[in-house]
Amino acid sequence: MQVESNKVVIIDYTLRNDAGDVLDQSSPEAPLSYLHGHQNIIPGLENALNGKTQGDKVDASIPPAEAYGEYDDNLIQAVPRNMFQGIDEIEPGMQFQAQTGQGVQIVTVKEANEESVTIDANHALAGETLHFNVTVKEVRDASQEELDHGHVHGPGGHEH
Ligand code: ZN
């Protein structure tokens, strides 16, 4: 069975940055399963896996535009300190969920003082070319429920 839209794909993967540092990897007991064609994973990796079958190994280098986007300086902004009411200590590197025009986003604190907090709404991997080594473990049909929900159920998927 080939990887195509509406198939459940189970993969082992290692993700490295340009420097060769491992950013993320699946563990042998917990491979990643996702529903192909439903934006569960980044577009560049979906494209690289299209048409593959069980046992295939795929090495893919994915530019930012097909991963988490280019780094955007406009997504850095200073907001008043009083928007963080109830939080005593705000330090660089802390992350918060923020309601923005594009929905809920994770923002990272870059700087904080008594008047203002500078936050960065870029994805942590924005601007990075991502290098994946992937092994396709299994390709199977999705259940109707999985198709309705747009994601995989069971081990490695959503638990609900
Ligand atoms: Zn579901």
Side-chain angles (χ1 to χ4, degrees):
M1 188 176 288
Q2 285 194 334
V3 174
E4 59 182 347
S5 277
N6 298 334
K7 300 297 185 194
V8 171
V9 185
I10 302 173
I11 59 173
D12 278 330
Y13 72 95
T14 302
L15 167 60
R16 292 181 177 82
N17 62 12
D18 274 332
D21 301 323
V22 174
L23 301 177
D24 193 15
Q25 64 190 135
S26 58
S27 65
E29 318 81 58
L32 174 73
S33 48
Y34 76 94
L35 183 59
H36 197 82
H38 290 258
Q39 299 179 320
N40 290 178
I41 64 172
I42 58 173
L45 189 55
E46 276 209 337
N47 291 340
L49 290 168
N50 251 330
K52 303 299 181 193
T53 58
Q54 184 176 332
D56 282 352
K57 291 183 191 302
V58 179
D59 297 329
S61 291
I62 297 169
E66 294 172 40
Y68 292 100
E70 301 289 351
Y71 193 86
D72 183 354
D73 288 333
N74 293 321
L75 295 179
I76 299 171
Q77 59 174 320
V79 298
R81 173 66 175 82
N82 64 21
M83 284 181 70
F84 293 82
Q85 274 173 10
I87 301 165
D88 294 335
E89 296 263 345
I90 299 182
E91 292 175 352
M94 289 175 76
Q95 293 189 315
F96 296 93
Q97 287 193 339
Q99 189 68 44
T100 71
Q102 282 91 48
V104 176
Q105 287 190 323
I106 304 291
V107 301
T108 306
V109 174
K110 291 185 76 77
E111 276 178 46
N113 60 39
E114 284 172 19
E115 281 88 46
S116 72
V117 179
T118 303
I119 56 173
D120 182 350
N122 283 287
H123 190 280
L125 294 176
E128 300 262 11
T129 296
L130 303 180
H131 305 275
F132 284 93
N133 304 107
V134 178
T135 302
V136 179
K137 304 271 289 180
E138 190 183 335
V139 184
R140 67 164 169 84
D141 287 318
S143 69
Q144 188 58 50
E145 190 185 43
E146 287 173 325
L147 293 175
D148 290 345
H149 287 205
H151 56 233
V152 175
H153 290 168
H158 283 243
E159 308 288 337
H160 73 152

